[in-house]
Amino acid sequence: MTHVNCRQQIDLDREKILGKDGMIIGDGGTGSSDYLLTPVSDPQTRAERMYNFFHSSTRMIVEQTFGIWKNRFRCLLHPMRMEHWLAVLIIQTTMI
């Protein structure tokens, strides 16, 4: 699923994919939508600076978690050249 296709799928059935109040955290180049949290590009207020700080902190934790996950399951380091359903099954299995 490509980045564009993924966003289209979320737009079609947001609650099924993200849950009732689900959100996605992204970087500044991700674009915007009502379910995508991105940093404030030019923070002016204390609240905006704090938001950016917590946004960055959260992204670091998520990126570290993915790094640990990929290190433990080395098959996730490279593109999976197999049927989509099998790649999904392998990824889901590593999450258990």
Side-chain angles (χ1 to χ4, degrees):
M1 186 174 339
T2 65
H3 172 72
V4 173
N5 189 16
C6 182
R7 296 220 23 202
Q8 289 171 345
Q9 292 296 318
I10 294 169
D11 289 339
L12 289 173
D13 198 351
R14 176 182 173 174
E15 190 167 329
K16 177 182 175 189
I17 295 172
L18 299 179
K20 184 174 183 278
D21 297 316
M23 302 293 283
I24 296 175
I25 188 165
D27 61 20
T30 310
S32 65
S33 88
D34 60 339
Y35 57 81
L36 184 62
L37 301 173
T38 57
V40 177
S41 61
D42 185 23
Q44 299 295 310
T45 67
R46 182 177 189 277
E48 290 174 338
R49 289 189 294 277
M50 291 301 295
Y51 170 83
N52 277 0
F53 171 79
F54 287 114
H55 181 277
S56 174
S57 299
T58 302
R59 281 198 63 226
M60 282 191 278
I61 292 168
V62 170
E63 289 173 7
Q64 288 173 351
T65 301
F66 278 119
I68 292 167
W69 186 26
K70 288 179 175 182
N71 192 45
R72 174 150 169 102
F73 300 99
R74 310 284 292 169
C75 64
L76 301 175
L77 288 172
H78 308 287
M80 295 184 162
R81 301 188 192 295
M82 59 191 68
E83 293 290 326
H84 182 261
W85 67 268
L86 183 56
V88 169
L89 182 63
I90 291 169
I91 293 168
Q92 289 174 337
T93 303
T94 66
M95 293 181 196
I96 297 174

